[in-house]
Amino acid sequence: MPLKAKILNPAISGQAATMATGPQAPKEEPRNDPDDVLFNPIYGVRTIELNRPQKLNSLNGSMARKIMSRLQEWEKSQLASVIIIGGAGPRAFCAGGDVAALAELNASGPEGQAASQAYFALEYQLDHLIATYPKPYIAYMDGVTMGGGVGLSVHAPIRIATERTLFAMPETSIGFFPDVGGSFFLPRLEGSIGTYLALTSERLKGVNAFYAGVATHYVHSSSLSSLTARLAEIEFKDYEDMYSRLATIAATIAEFETGLPHDEPMLLAGELRKAIDRCFGYGAIEAIIDALEDEEKDTKLPEHIRDWANSTLETLSERSPTSLKVTLKQMELGRRWTIGEAFKNEYHIAGRFMSHPDFGSGVSARLIHKPPTKPTWNPPSLQGVTREDVNKFFNHEGEFPMKLRNEQERDYREYPFRMGLVREDEIRGVVQQGGQKAQKVIAKFFDEGGRRSGTREKVEEVLARKCDQDEEGCLIWKR
């Protein structure tokens, strides 16, 4: 089996013709901009273009309704084979949702908060539809990809980063939490990377979104239009399953890969990756902060790691204490949730935040006020956020008012298709077979399945960080 796209749940791939019915496609409202999303057919390809470049293609209810309706329509169409989503203009794929509008709604009281939560239901239903879509769905993460834009892209089996990609989950900085399926996606990144990104809002630029596993491929932005045209030429056989179709698409994308930029080293690697795993593997924010303080004081560590610890402590001190504690618990529980459970739980958590003062304060200070100011968090410190306060965001006694389409038929605990760079657990499995030397391990992953772009860099980094060598030069995996 080629390693380019490893299927983990075969039940997902063969169900396009036997899908259960779910919520009806939402109807568009007359007052909405008819051109905020553009749809185009190109032979078997169907393209979705987010068309609000002046707003960095930020997602609103009008756009979400249109996209959901088209996806449901294309799911039933034998003429639609591949879905591609991208953003208009060179600056952004999608910079997030219109949280300023939500904050204004919340300020009007319970009725406004209910309207805000209705938006989250729509957004999460759309993201869940994407996460369980039975046809190849490709996201061009070209430009700013944050918040709501992450929900539209990160659950796709194929996610393409470019030199213009700027990925982040900045929710803790505005008194919110990493939603849009972040409960599922982030804990499944390697090591403690997901927790680190969730708590700090660290930005990943360009190829580093690919190295970190956020994207599955890296292509220069100038090649995207040609790639779309080439994908439109593909004709699948009726009997081909999802795995076969994704493998064909991956091979097609490889035709447009021109190598990775040599002037952008892997960011979350080496000593920094070790420090992230040391510090962000704890189950309490206070323990994470203690670990960072230890790193900052440890003169045996490289200076750049001590500097990183200092800046990370400063970053966390600026975040909403409530958001930090809720997000860390979200990461812990999300490792065990199914994709459906993740969105249902996030719906409840989002509703709690709509009535929490930190969301309004954070959005007003960070996004509405010009220039941005410092939010007033309530409680203002970690000590003021009790365990009972945190548990309220998760204690809903099994009552989920939000319905998800095809939840039972397409639910899963791991993404059904594993694409992109070789993962650390795969490398560990080979090394632990014994008698393996570095070049042999590199060659194995470089040669199998066509996973060439970035493979050498990833395997070399993992081996250097996780392995020792015996007297004969064979690798020994560190415990």
Side-chain angles (χ1 to χ4, degrees):
M1 177 187 295
L3 288 171
K4 188 83 173 186
K6 183 180 292 183
I7 185 167
L8 301 182
N9 186 351
I12 298 293
S13 62
Q15 297 178 351
T18 59
M19 308 315 297
T21 58
Q24 297 298 312
K27 294 182 179 180
E28 190 52 46
E29 299 178 6
R31 67 179 181 273
N32 291 321
D33 180 358
D35 296 323
D36 49 14
V37 187
L38 304 177
F39 305 95
N40 285 295
I42 311 174
Y43 298 104
V45 164
R46 297 295 182 268
T47 65
I48 304 169
E49 184 179 27
L50 310 178
N51 190 37
R52 299 177 73 203
Q54 73 282 4
K55 297 286 187 179
L56 297 180
N57 299 320
S58 60
L59 183 70
N60 58 27
S62 166
M63 300 163 76
R65 283 187 288 270
K66 291 185 179 77
I67 296 170
M68 183 180 291
S69 179
R70 286 301 181 105
L71 286 176
Q72 293 181 9
E73 172 191 329
W74 292 336
E75 181 179 331
K76 302 172 185 176
S77 171
Q78 294 183 348
L79 300 178
S81 299
V82 177
I83 315 301
I84 300 175
I85 188 168
R91 297 175 59 196
F93 164 63
C94 175
D98 194 351
V99 293
L102 297 178
E104 291 178 6
L105 279 174
N106 295 340
S108 66
E111 185 175 340
Q113 293 164 13
S116 293
Q117 193 162 6
Y119 168 79
F120 285 115
L122 173 64
E123 183 181 23
Y124 297 169
Q125 286 168 342
L126 172 58
D127 295 340
H128 179 264
L129 176 61
I130 292 168
T132 57
Y133 205 64
K135 295 184 177 183
Y137 178 101
I138 304 170
Y140 289 170
M141 301 169 70
D142 183 29
V144 177
T145 304
M146 298 183 185
V150 174
L152 295 176
S153 59
V154 84
H155 306 293
I158 297 179
R159 311 176 297 276
I160 299 178
T162 74
E163 79 286 355
R164 300 189 295 207
T165 298
L166 179 60
F167 170 91
M169 294 294 281
E171 287 80 7
T172 58
S173 68
I174 59 168
F176 199 48
F177 74 108
D179 63 334
V180 298
S183 303
F184 193 88
F185 175 74
L186 289 167
R188 286 162 178 80
L189 293 176
E190 294 180 336
S192 296
I193 288 176
T195 301
Y196 172 64
L197 296 177
L199 295 175
T200 66
S201 312
E202 176 69 41
R203 297 184 173 195
L204 298 177
K205 299 179 181 179
V207 72
N208 271 293
F210 171 62
Y211 283 138
V214 173
T216 59
H217 298 80
Y218 180 85
V219 174
H220 197 275
S221 61
S222 62
S223 297
L224 292 180
S225 59
S226 298
L227 173 58
T228 300
R230 178 70 180 88
L231 291 169
E233 297 174 358
I234 298 175
E235 294 184 7
F236 297 119
K237 302 296 183 183
D238 291 342
Y239 56 79
E240 287 188 81
D241 61 12
M242 185 71 152
Y243 163 75
S244 175
R245 296 180 184 214
L246 290 174
T248 299
I249 291 171
T252 303
I253 294 172
E255 299 173 13
F256 294 85
E257 293 174 346
T258 56
L260 303 180
H262 298 293
D263 58 345
E264 294 183 45
M266 198 180 300
L267 174 64
L268 306 182
E271 293 299 322
L272 177 56
R273 171 62 191 281
K274 291 179 184 178
I276 289 172
D277 288 350
R278 282 195 301 268
C279 296
F280 284 84
Y282 292 97
I285 291 293
E286 292 84 353
I288 291 174
I289 290 174
D290 288 344
L292 286 166
E293 290 175 345
D294 288 343
E295 297 276 313
E296 183 185 23
K297 299 172 185 175
D298 191 345
T299 57
K300 296 179 181 179
L301 292 174
E303 184 177 358
H304 73 279
I305 297 300
R306 301 200 303 274
D307 291 343
W308 166 82
N310 177 270
S311 64
T312 304
L313 284 167
E314 183 176 349
T315 295
L316 293 178
S317 72
E318 297 171 351
R319 300 295 185 257
S320 158
T322 299
S323 292
L324 289 177
K325 288 201 170 184
V326 170
T327 296
L328 186 60
K329 187 175 181 68
Q330 172 200 4
M331 294 296 103
E332 176 189 350
L333 297 177
R335 292 183 178 92
R336 303 191 295 271
W337 288 342
T338 67
I339 189 69
E341 289 169 346
F343 282 110
K344 284 185 171 183
N345 280 292
E346 287 184 4
Y347 176 70
H348 182 84
I349 298 169
R352 290 287 189 186
F353 269 112
M354 290 305 95
S355 59
H356 194 281
D358 278 8
F359 181 72
S361 177
V363 171
S364 177
R366 301 289 193 194
L367 302 180
I368 297 177
H369 195 278
K370 303 297 180 183
T373 58
K374 185 177 180 180
T376 301
W377 305 127
N378 184 19
S381 67
L382 291 170
Q383 291 76 14
V385 184
T386 67
R387 180 178 299 179
E388 290 72 24
D389 294 334
V390 175
N391 288 340
K392 287 178 182 178
F393 286 85
F394 300 89
N395 181 19
H396 39 71
E397 299 179 351
E399 296 179 2
F400 299 107
M402 182 180 69
K403 294 183 179 180
L404 296 173
R405 191 167 181 264
N406 301 313
E407 180 186 359
Q408 299 301 320
E409 292 82 1
R410 301 183 189 175
D411 210 17
Y412 51 79
R413 293 190 182 277
E414 297 291 339
Y415 285 112
F417 305 99
R418 180 177 289 184
M419 304 192 69
L421 277 176
V422 56
R423 288 180 61 87
E424 193 168 298
D425 59 349
E426 296 177 79
I427 300 171
R428 182 181 67 239
V430 172
V431 171
Q432 290 182 336
Q433 292 174 7
Q436 304 290 328
K437 295 188 177 182
Q439 289 305 313
K440 184 178 180 181
V441 176
I442 293 169
K444 173 181 174 58
F445 291 107
F446 191 78
D447 293 337
E448 288 188 8
R451 289 196 299 193
R452 294 178 178 255
S453 183
T455 295
R456 180 178 296 277
E457 292 89 340
K458 176 65 181 289
V459 177
E460 287 180 343
E461 191 280 326
V462 172
L463 295 181
R465 175 168 48 85
K466 299 296 292 186
C467 293
D468 292 323
Q469 293 186 7
D470 63 18
E471 295 177 354
E472 297 180 355
C474 294
L475 297 167
I476 302 172
W477 193 268
K478 298 177 184 177
R479 296 194 180 275

